[in-house]
Each structure stands twice: as C-alpha cells, then as structure tokens.
C-alpha cells in the first residue's frame, strides 16, 4: 500500500480540504499532518482550536487513515520520517513566499523518487466565506486580546512592529519573508506614541489625545488580526487611566505599556537633554494597581515601563522599580535605554531574571540595534518592539520624491522607485 501525505493548517474543514483528501485517497493510505501551533504562527494562521482538537477534527474525516503532527513549515523532518510515496497539495502555492515550501517539497521528493500531486485549489463562495470567517474571528476582541499572552507562551520572542495607520497595519499583518528555508513574519503591533504623533505632524508630548489614539487603533484593527500593544505614555491621571483600560480591553487591545514619568512627557530618546520627571515608585505603583483592578478580563496586560536608565538614575533604581511594579500588579516590565550598546539592558535582564523567572520583559532596541532577537531572548527578553523603523523609512522616501518632482517639474524621474498603481490597488483586500 502506497502512502500519501498532505498537511492541514486549518481549524475549519471546507470543500477544498475534502477535495484534497479525495484526490489523495486514490493513491493509497492517507496521512494528514496537523501543523503545530508554533508553525501555524509563522504562517499567520493563528490557531483558534488546540492541536488536540485539530487532530480529532482531521481524524473524523472520511478517507483519512492517520493523523500525525508536523512541527515545522518545511517538510524535512516529516519526509525523513515517513518517506511518503506521494505528497498532495493545492496548486495555490506556486507564487509568493509559499513557493519556498513547494521548492522544499520538490527537492525532498526528488531525493528518493517520491511524487508531488497538485490538486486544483477550490475557489468557490462557500470556501471563501469560511476563509473570511476564520480571519474575521481572529480580529474579534475576544480572540485578538488574548493572543499576546498566548504568543508569549508559544514563541521564544514576540516580534512586534510599529503601526500607526491602516496601511502600516497591513504591512505588519501581511509581510512575510522566506529566509534560510524558513518563513517569518511579525507577531504583534506596537501603536507608538512617537509614530502616531509624527503621522499627525504633532510632537510626542501626549498632545494627541486618547480619542485620536483610539481612532488610530480602530483603523489598524479594521484591516488586521494580529495583537496590539498600545504605547500609553504616562497613562495620564490615574482617574482617567482606569477608564482607558476598560475601553482598550473592550476594543480587543492586548496590552498597554505605561512609563513611570510624570508631568510633561517628552520622548525617551531625548534622554537627559530635556527636563523629564520620573514618577515615584509609590505613585506609579498606585496607577498600575488601579488599572489592574479596573480590567475585567484575565487577558489584558498592563506593562510597566521603567525610565531609570534613560534618566541615568542607575541600575539599582531600575531593578527596585521593576520588582515594586510587579508587586503592584504589572503583567510585564519594559526596560528602555538609549545607549548604542545593549550592555545595560542585558545587565538589567540578567539581574531581573535572577529573582523573577516569569514576568515578561519587553525591550525596544532602537539605539542598541546591533543585538539580535535571539540574543535578547537568551537574556530572558520576551517581546522585542521595532518601535519607529517604518515611519523612519517612509518619511525620507516621501520627502525625496517630493523634492525630485519639484526639481524636474514632472514625475517621470521618480517613477522607477514607486510601487506600480496596479499593485497598490490590489494591496487592500476587497470583500
Ligand atoms: C514610542 O515608540 O513612542 C516609544 C519608544 O515610546 S521610544 O520612542 O523609544 O521612547
Ligand atoms: Mg512613546
């Protein structure tokens, strides 16, 4: 009896999957691979059912002989283990990043004469509806909100990129790269006060009010499913913060990070060049505790951001604050630095981890940008935020285009570096 292998990465079965099983069944014993949670995440198919539930679902299907777990997107391990005579897949993987998976399968099969069978992908309104429903489900507050906590458990490091509009949200949601035989993408989004303010042409001094920040979040939520971490600046007055916690939680935001500053907040990257006042441990702890008491779900996170290193108050002050804020209820600690070298960040992480093994640590490596995610994770970091790079890359590109149009009195000279109109109009999904 020949063996036929196919992998499923879905929580819901539709005609497309049944067609694949039917095609596979003609060639022999059908083995389905259930893609693991970790692999699904790298595929932006965040699971809404557990692996056990998915296995049960696939086992219940007519024509399926066996279900096993596939732990990575690429097929190397599974093919080494199974040596299937056939691998069956929909024919919709020839373009884009998924073509790297196809290439991986073709190469592996060619080593021992296995065959690839490509089944015509089933496009029909019912299939599209199920695909859309799955995606929409992930965008719903109850699914999106808890996704950050789930990711912290599932990923060595939660890769987070700044978003400040629907368009930057789409980039965070959809950008996938194939690198060294692996697919990769961002896990979460950071709604930065710096970039949200900059996009509105305003300084980063809590001038853009909460109504406007919520509008930005809603624009992003409209077109994405990934979890959102809000840069909540100082959190404002405690009496206001508690209301904002409820609002953010209801919208499906996963976390707010508030910093231990008081009075007129300036951007941290100014450091001690401008007047900035740190809140006392007591007053900031009280704000955290009040926020935690206000929230209604177990999913939402209030993360305390410590500015001691930015304000040059020393490592001991940073650590004292971290332990105090965790005691006050903080669900995570963000430690910030504007040094070029990551040394003080790593020292903080190592010392914090000596006594606290589990509270998530967040870092924003804008200045200390030579360190990799993997190295940060080795020091106990859970969330890495790329806080402003999209804005900083877009602004000079737009400015140069504006200058060149002025210079040449026409747009021909800039056209080569522009995204084709056809591409930009297909960037946005149509219903
Ligand atoms: C932001 O992105 O607004 C931040 C991070 O708060 S930083 O600009 O580095 O202070
Ligand atoms: Mg900020």
């Amino acid at each position: 009896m020949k063996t036929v292998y196919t992998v499923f990465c879905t929580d819901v079965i539709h005609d497309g999957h049944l067609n694949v099983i039917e095609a596979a069944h003609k060639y022999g014993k059908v083995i389905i691979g259930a893609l693991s949670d970790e692999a699904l995440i790298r595929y932006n198919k965040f699971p809404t059912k557990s692996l056990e539930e998915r296995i049960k679902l696939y086992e219940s299907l007519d024509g399926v002989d066996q279900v096993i777990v596939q732990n990575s997107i690429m097929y190397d391990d599974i093919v080494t283990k199974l040596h299937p005579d056939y691998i069956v897949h929909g024919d919709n993987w020839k373009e884009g990043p998924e073509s790297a998976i196809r290439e991986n399968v073709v190469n592996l099969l060619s080593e021992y004469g296995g065959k690839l069978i490509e089944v015509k992908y089933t496009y029909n309104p019912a299939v599209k509806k199920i695909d859309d429903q799955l995606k929409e489900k992930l965008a719903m507050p109850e699914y999106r909100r808890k996704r950050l906590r789930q990711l912290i458990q599932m990923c060595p490091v939660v890769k987070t990129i700044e978003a400040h509009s629907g368009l930057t949200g789409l980039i965070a949601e959809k950008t996938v790269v194939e690198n060294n035989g692996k697919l990769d993408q961002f896990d979460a989004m950071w709604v930065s006060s710096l970039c949200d303010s900059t996009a509105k042409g305003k300084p980063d001094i809590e001038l853009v009010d909460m109504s406007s920040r919520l509008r930005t979040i809603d624009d992003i939520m409209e077109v994405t499913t990934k979890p959102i971490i809000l840069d909540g600046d100082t959190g404002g007055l405690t009496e206001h913060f508690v209301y904002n916690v409820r609002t953010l939680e209801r919208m499906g935001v996963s976390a707010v990070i508030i910093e231990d500053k008081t009075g007129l907040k300036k951007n941290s990257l100014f450091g001690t060049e401008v007047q900035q006042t740190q809140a006392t441990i007591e007053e900031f702890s009280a704000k955290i505790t009040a926020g935690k008491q206000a929230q209604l779900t177990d999913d939402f996170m209030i993360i305390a951001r410590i500015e001691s290193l930015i304000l040059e108050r020393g490592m001991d002050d940073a650590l004292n604050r971290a332990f105090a804020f965790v005691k006050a209820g903080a669900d995570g600690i963000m430690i910030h630095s504007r040094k070029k070298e990551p040394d003080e960040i790593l020292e903080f992480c190592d010392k914090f981890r000596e006594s606290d093994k589990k509270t998530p640590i967040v870092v924003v490596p804008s200045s200390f940008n030579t360190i990799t995610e993997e190295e940060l994770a080795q020091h106990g970091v859970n969330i890495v935020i790329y806080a402003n790079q999209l804005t900083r890359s877009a602004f000079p590109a737009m400015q140069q285009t504006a200058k060149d149009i002025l210079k040449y009195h026409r747009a021909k000279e800039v056209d080569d570096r522009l995204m084709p109109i056809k591409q930009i109009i297909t960037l946005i999904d149509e219903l």
Side-chain angles (χ1 to χ4, degrees):
M1 184 87 164
K2 304 262 188 199
T3 51
V4 193
Y5 181 73
T6 189
V7 72
F8 279 6
C9 47
T10 185
D11 291 348
V12 180
I13 299 298
H14 57 48
D15 285 354
H17 305 107
L18 300 179
N19 288 343
V20 166
I21 296 173
E22 198 184 310
H25 196 58
K26 291 184 189 141
Y27 293 87
K29 175 183 164 188
V30 177
I31 305 175
I32 306 273
L35 206 57
S36 67
D37 288 351
E38 290 75 5
L40 280 176
I41 295 168
R42 299 271 73 82
Y43 216 45
N44 201 14
K45 301 254 178 148
F46 195 83
T48 57
K49 286 197 165 96
S50 71
L51 179 63
E52 292 69 33
E53 287 169 324
R54 296 199 298 279
I55 292 173
K56 278 211 183 92
L57 174 68
Y58 305 161
E59 279 172 345
S60 72
L61 300 171
D62 279 349
V64 173
D65 295 290
Q66 193 187 345
V67 178
I68 60 172
V69 177
Q70 179 171 327
N71 283 311
S72 55
I73 293 178
M74 296 301 171
Y75 284 55
D76 302 63
D77 292 346
I78 214 88
V79 164
T80 310
K81 195 166 135 198
L82 284 181
H83 270 82
D85 299 291
Y86 301 96
I87 289 181
V88 183
H89 199 283
D91 65 356
N92 56 328
W93 63 342
K94 293 184 179 165
E95 308 284 325
E98 277 190 67
S99 60
I101 311 175
R102 184 178 188 274
E103 203 181 308
N104 168 257
V105 168
V106 168
N107 289 339
L108 290 164
L109 288 172
S110 72
E111 283 171 21
Y112 63 95
K115 290 211 163 43
L116 173 64
I117 297 162
E118 287 174 307
V119 180
K120 196 167 162 29
Y121 188 79
T122 315
Y123 287 104
N124 67 33
V127 167
K128 184 174 180 321
K129 179 130 200 221
I130 290 177
D131 279 344
D132 289 349
Q133 276 171 339
L134 264 176
K135 220 175 95 196
E136 276 307 308
K137 193 169 167 185
L138 290 173
M140 291 295 164
E142 62 274 29
Y143 285 97
R144 194 194 301 249
R145 196 195 301 116
K146 66 181 174 195
R147 187 160 156 181
L148 184 66
R149 281 197 193 268
Q150 292 174 311
L151 282 164
I152 292 170
Q153 296 306 319
M154 291 168 164
C155 301
V157 62
V158 178
K159 291 185 280 257
T160 305
I161 183 115
E162 174 258 316
H164 59 266
S165 60
L167 186 62
T168 46
L170 279 178
I171 289 178
E173 178 80 12
K174 293 192 172 183
T175 306
V176 182
V177 291
E178 188 270 317
N179 195 13
N180 285 333
K182 287 197 170 139
L183 292 190
D184 211 353
Q185 55 183 295
F186 289 102
D187 300 303
M189 295 176 281
W190 164 246
V191 180
S192 148
S193 67
L194 173 68
C195 299
D196 201 0
S197 307
T198 304
K200 292 170 171 63
K202 297 271 171 65
D204 181 17
I205 51 170
E206 294 186 279
L207 175 64
V208 177
D209 67 13
M210 192 47 88
S211 306
S212 175
R213 305 289 311 278
L214 296 177
R215 184 65 242 165
T216 303
I217 294 173
D218 198 44
D219 285 344
I220 296 168
M221 284 184 159
E222 284 267 352
V223 294
T224 61
T225 63
K226 291 181 179 175
I228 292 177
I229 305 172
L230 174 68
D231 174 358
D233 291 316
T234 64
L237 294 173
T238 302
E239 293 82 347
H240 296 177
F241 180 58
V242 289
Y243 282 91
N244 290 331
V245 164
R246 283 271 171 95
T247 306
L248 294 169
E249 201 183 11
R250 188 178 63 245
M251 286 173 84
V253 170
S254 302
V256 62
I257 301 189
I258 53 170
E259 57 195 274
D260 59 352
K261 285 203 297 230
T262 184
L264 182 66
K265 188 222 78 155
K266 303 262 176 72
N267 185 275
S268 298
L269 302 175
F270 285 121
T272 50
E273 290 154 26
V274 293
Q275 175 69 36
Q276 307 206 56
T277 317
Q278 208 171 11
T280 64
I281 292 188
E282 293 69 30
E283 65 185 300
F284 198 66
S285 295
K287 194 181 284 189
I288 294 165
T289 307
K292 287 307 291 176
Q293 275 166 2
Q295 81 177 61
L296 295 175
T297 67
D298 292 332
D299 305 331
F300 189 72
M301 299 173 77
I302 298 178
I303 299 175
R305 163 171 168 175
I306 294 164
E307 292 287 293
S308 304
L309 303 181
I310 293 280
L311 300 172
E312 297 176 10
R313 300 274 156 77
M315 189 59 66
D316 287 346
D317 186 68
L319 286 161
N320 284 341
R321 283 169 177 268
F323 295 125
F325 298 156
V326 171
K327 211 161 156 208
D331 300 294
I333 293 293
M334 173 179 152
I335 183 67
H336 206 18
S337 161
R338 61 183 200 123
K339 295 258 162 69
K340 277 261 163 230
E341 300 303 325
D343 304 17
E344 62 178 12
I345 288 287
L346 299 184
E347 185 185 340
F348 174 90
C349 293
D350 293 344
K351 289 191 167 147
F352 183 71
R353 280 281 174 257
E354 273 173 24
S355 354
D356 186 327
K357 301 270 180 271
K358 62 175 205 305
T359 303
I361 304 180
V362 185
V363 298
V364 179
S366 304
S367 306
F368 48 100
N369 57 15
T370 52
I371 190 151
T372 63
E373 293 151 5
E374 198 183 344
E375 287 167 304
L376 287 165
Q378 279 161 6
H379 290 268
V381 169
N382 304 82
I383 301 179
V384 171
I385 299 179
Y386 298 98
N388 51 39
Q389 288 78 5
L390 289 187
T391 295
R392 285 163 60 208
S393 55
F395 187 84
M398 290 195 285
Q399 198 176 42
Q400 193 56 50
T401 298
K403 280 184 184 169
D404 286 346
I405 292 172
L406 281 176
K407 185 167 159 192
Y408 296 107
H409 304 285
R410 63 180 193 179
K412 183 183 180 306
E413 282 73 15
V414 301
D415 210 65
D416 282 353
R417 58 182 123 108
L418 305 184
M419 178 178 256
I421 289 180
K422 203 168 166 201
Q423 211 173 326
I424 204 153
I425 55 183
T426 53
L427 201 65
I428 319 284
D429 288 335
E430 276 187 43
L431 283 185

